[in-house]
Amino acid sequence: MVTIEEKKAQVLIRLRGYELLSREERKDTILFTVKTKEGKKALIWCIPTQGAVGVQYITQLRKIMKENDIERAIIITCGKYTQAAKTHARERGIELI
């Protein structure tokens, strides 16, 4: 079953002209690796929740970024972001949708 978050990611990939490199399921989440128009790799992480997405998700994504030498990332959720998560993401160049 395709989640709303995954559908949003697919639309984002198409609208921004990204090239899909891989799709990986991790527990209840989906992680896309894409190539931007500038030729750089980026991650798009879909978190299907109606609840709050906190700092722990930002920290986890930052770790994945470092392991894969990726500078840019986007998190997509239907839930809300805590204020701390918004601040943490902004400081680390992670876009929240």
Side-chain angles (χ1 to χ4, degrees):
M1 187 175 111
V2 177
T3 65
I4 293 172
E5 294 81 5
E6 186 173 1
K7 287 179 184 178
K8 287 181 180 181
Q10 291 168 347
V11 169
L12 182 74
I13 290 166
R14 188 176 67 248
L15 290 177
R16 292 193 180 178
Y18 294 163
E19 177 186 344
L20 180 61
L21 300 177
S22 69
R23 178 190 180 278
E24 178 184 344
E25 293 189 26
R26 293 177 165 233
K27 296 182 184 174
D28 294 334
T29 66
I30 298 167
L31 184 69
F32 293 97
T33 304
V34 297
K35 186 167 30 169
T36 66
K37 286 182 177 180
E38 297 78 30
K40 296 185 177 186
K41 283 186 180 179
L43 296 175
I44 301 174
W45 195 19
C46 301
I47 304 171
T49 184
Q50 296 296 320
V53 173
V55 173
Q56 69 275 18
Y57 287 99
I58 308 301
T59 303
Q60 193 174 351
L61 181 56
R62 191 68 186 134
K63 182 180 175 188
I64 296 167
M65 290 168 69
K66 282 185 180 182
E67 288 171 358
N68 295 284
D69 196 32
I70 295 176
E71 297 176 12
R72 190 166 195 297
I74 301 166
I75 297 179
I76 298 175
T77 187
C78 285
K80 297 183 181 200
Y81 295 100
T82 64
Q83 190 58 47
K86 290 177 185 178
T87 302
H88 208 62
R90 188 171 36 253
E91 292 169 352
R92 285 153 184 79
I94 298 172
E95 183 179 350
L96 303 178
I97 296 177

